[in-house]
Amino acid sequence: MGNYDKTLISFDKKIGVLCGGMSSERDVSLRSGKNCYEALLRLGYKNTVLIDVDKNVGDKLKQEEIEIAFLALHGKYGEDGCIQGLLEIMGIPYTGCGVSASAISMNKDMTKRVLSLFPEIPLIKSQVLKKENLDTFEMTLNYPVMIKPVCEGSSIGMVKVESKDKLKEAFDEAFKYSDCLLIEEFLEGLSTTVGVLDIENETIATPILAFHTKTEWYDYEAKYTQGMTEFELPAKLPEDLTKKIQEIAVLSHKAVNGAGLSRVDFLITKDNIPYVLEINTIPGMTDLSDLPAQARAMGIDFDTLVKIILNSSLIKEK
């Protein structure tokens, strides 16, 4: 396994697997956390505890005398820079991306603003709507469109809108999750995702995972219900397109100052344009999650992937 399998963290370290949390993705996070906790025990990190994150998380970290935080949180307060900021203040090393990368990537609008600085990264036409500006909103995009809360993951709150008369209903649904919405033109194409891992001094892209869903698009049901999605790994794409997508994934990861790991989601249209949809800084680690499957495809089993993520707590500049 070479560099992938290096043990860089001492086995006597007190590790806290932070999961659960207060976001709409709590249930998925609990599943990710349990899997990572069990893997750390198998790897020999017997001094590991599970911590269900709430408003008293600072006290819990002190009481447990946590030396390293393994982040398995998804969504608000866990993937948006909040917990990372707290850990920085407390002086506790943590896995994955730092404050700035987390905050930028959690916000779909800010992600697109940063990535738009790189001409080689294709982005779908979009506009932003804040709740306070709803009365004066004018659509500038072509229908159909996708309505997305700017700061939610797992496709929560996303709605496809075919025509203007369905817009208000979609806005009402999406505004339940965020006061700011990203509206994108709906493009037909192949949904794909690429994992990005920082291993020592090298940033590598995983094989590309493509998915064909039984739902109209890759929604929450398709992501977390067994049998709702057919996976293609590695994706059957031309070699030059595969290389291009992996290069864009790494570039996107670096553009937001990513560290340790991320997962970059794409939509590939029929004319082979790989549009970047979003960046996930704490990819899911459930039995059905994408990153573990991508890692397996390149010879990295789940426990080794967890070790790679744990080692990312040593990255000094985040």
Side-chain angles (χ1 to χ4, degrees):
M1 193 65 69
N3 291 338
Y4 296 162
D5 204 31
K6 277 193 175 181
T7 299
L8 303 178
I9 305 293
S10 173
F11 289 115
D12 61 359
K13 289 289 187 182
K14 183 69 177 288
I15 300 171
V17 178
L18 276 56
C19 61
M22 300 170 283
S23 81
S24 56
E25 297 181 79
R26 172 178 170 79
D27 289 345
V28 177
S29 174
L30 287 170
R31 288 154 59 186
S32 288
K34 181 175 181 292
N35 283 356
C36 294
Y37 167 73
E38 292 173 349
L40 287 165
L41 293 180
R42 289 193 297 268
L43 287 165
Y45 293 97
K46 303 302 183 184
N47 207 14
T48 298
V49 295
L50 264 176
I51 296 179
D52 190 344
V53 172
D54 57 20
K55 292 180 179 179
N56 300 313
V57 63
D59 293 334
K60 291 182 180 180
L61 291 166
K62 285 182 181 179
Q63 290 166 6
E64 293 286 355
E65 298 182 332
I66 297 302
E67 296 176 276
I68 297 175
F70 190 108
L71 301 184
L73 291 159
H74 306 313
K76 196 173 183 181
Y77 305 121
E79 204 170 357
D80 59 359
C82 288
I83 194 70
Q84 291 81 1
L86 174 63
L87 292 166
E88 292 278 358
I89 292 170
M90 297 182 71
I92 300 174
Y94 56 91
T95 58
C97 293
V99 176
S100 62
S102 302
I104 290 169
S105 300
M106 188 65 195
N107 186 303
K108 295 178 177 66
D109 176 40
M110 290 306 302
T111 299
K112 295 192 80 162
R113 288 173 187 262
V114 172
L115 297 185
S116 69
L117 300 174
F118 297 83
E120 55 267 65
I121 300 179
L123 300 169
I124 298 174
K125 290 180 182 178
S126 63
Q127 62 185 115
V128 174
L129 170 62
K130 293 184 178 180
K131 198 170 188 177
E132 62 201 56
N133 299 327
L134 181 57
D135 292 341
T136 58
F137 173 76
E138 291 186 16
M139 179 70 77
T140 61
L141 305 174
N142 297 318
Y143 289 97
V145 296
M146 290 298 299
I147 312 294
K148 304 178 179 181
V150 294
C151 291
E152 286 290 342
S154 293
S155 301
I156 290 171
M158 285 175 55
V159 186
K160 181 184 176 184
V161 180
E162 299 281 358
S163 58
K164 184 178 180 179
D165 61 307
K166 300 291 185 181
L167 209 51
K168 184 182 182 304
E169 182 182 346
F171 285 160
D172 289 344
E173 176 63 22
F175 276 133
K176 293 177 183 177
Y177 302 95
S178 174
D179 288 339
C180 186
L181 308 179
L182 179 71
I183 307 167
E184 289 182 329
E185 290 189 357
F186 179 83
L187 301 180
E188 291 188 359
L190 178 67
S191 295
T192 62
T193 186
V194 183
V196 180
L197 298 170
D198 289 316
I199 302 177
E200 295 197 277
N201 297 318
E202 186 180 6
T203 302
I204 62 171
T206 68
I208 300 169
L209 172 63
F211 25 77
H212 307 275
T213 68
K214 295 182 180 178
T215 54
E216 187 176 7
W217 46 279
Y218 198 38
D219 59 9
Y220 188 94
E221 182 184 9
K223 288 180 178 179
Y224 299 111
T225 305
Q226 189 86 40
M228 291 301 293
T229 300
E230 292 181 5
F231 297 95
E232 188 177 272
L233 180 64
K236 296 174 183 176
L237 299 169
E239 186 176 343
D240 58 340
L241 181 58
T242 295
K243 183 179 178 182
K244 180 179 180 180
I245 292 169
Q246 290 174 321
E247 288 174 349
I248 291 173
V250 170
L251 176 59
S252 300
H253 173 82
K254 292 181 176 180
V256 298
N257 198 31
L261 73 159
S262 68
R263 202 194 71 237
V264 184
D265 296 342
F266 291 83
L267 181 74
I268 305 171
T269 52
K270 293 179 181 178
D271 49 358
N272 283 342
I273 298 178
Y275 290 98
V276 173
L277 297 176
E278 61 182 88
I279 302 172
N280 300 271
T281 53
I282 305 182
M285 295 290 282
T286 74
D287 296 337
L288 299 177
S289 293
D290 300 332
L291 184 62
Q294 292 166 318
R296 281 196 304 274
M298 59 190 299
I300 300 174
D301 62 30
F302 188 88
D303 289 4
T304 302
L305 175 61
V306 167
K307 184 185 290 188
I308 290 169
I309 296 171
L310 178 64
N311 288 342
S312 73
S313 65
L314 298 172
I315 297 175
K316 300 298 182 184
E317 297 178 7
K318 291 189 176 183

